Amino acid sequence: MERQVTVLGILSSLWGALAILVGVSLLLLAAGALAVLIGPDGRPVGFAAGLTSASFAIIGVFALAWGGAHVWSAVLLRRRQPLGRFLALGLAIVNLLVMPFGTALGIYALWVLLTHDGRRLFEPAAT
């Protein structure tokens, strides 16, 4: 089970990095739409550019936070921190709705982290 948790950490890092890349791309698109709004020819498309810019910015910030949460949970999983398991389980449940790769990652995370051996890896060591 040790190997599966390591693989889950790597996959979660990759999924988070991809979400961060999407977030940065959307923020750059929001800046482009804002430039159209502010530019000299922005009057006829002002409402559309403003709405597009705001939408891209909101979704971009959400994608950055989503990706950051995945990377953070991956780091905690690799360190075998109980908070990492809890965070990864929460993200896995939401990932089930993100077809198709998020669903696969969510199912794998639930399988790895909810088995008896997976739970045991994150229990505090008895002293």
Side-chain angles (χ1 to χ4, degrees):
M1 192 53 68
E2 188 85 24
R3 181 182 293 169
Q4 280 83 10
V5 172
T6 302
V7 169
L8 179 61
I10 292 168
L11 290 175
S12 186
S13 292
L14 291 173
W15 187 246
L18 183 62
I20 289 171
L21 181 66
V22 167
V24 169
S25 299
L26 284 171
L27 288 176
L28 290 173
L29 285 171
L34 190 60
V36 168
L37 179 65
I38 295 173
D41 297 348
R43 290 184 188 256
V45 294
F47 177 74
L51 182 64
T52 302
S53 178
S55 299
F56 282 165
I58 290 169
I59 296 170
V61 168
F62 177 77
L64 283 174
W66 184 251
H70 276 87
V71 170
W72 184 39
S73 83
V75 169
L76 293 175
L77 281 175
R78 289 182 191 148
R79 293 179 184 167
R80 306 298 186 256
Q81 298 284 329
L83 177 62
R85 179 179 176 270
F86 179 74
L87 182 60
L89 284 171
L91 291 170
I93 291 170
V94 180
N95 270 336
L96 292 173
L97 302 174
V98 182
M99 293 289 229
F101 301 113
T103 303
L105 180 63
I107 292 169
Y108 184 66
L110 291 173
W111 174 72
V112 168
L113 297 174
L114 290 178
T115 61
H116 180 66
D117 292 336
R119 270 189 222 140
R120 198 175 59 213
L121 286 175
F122 294 93
E123 291 175 355
T127 55

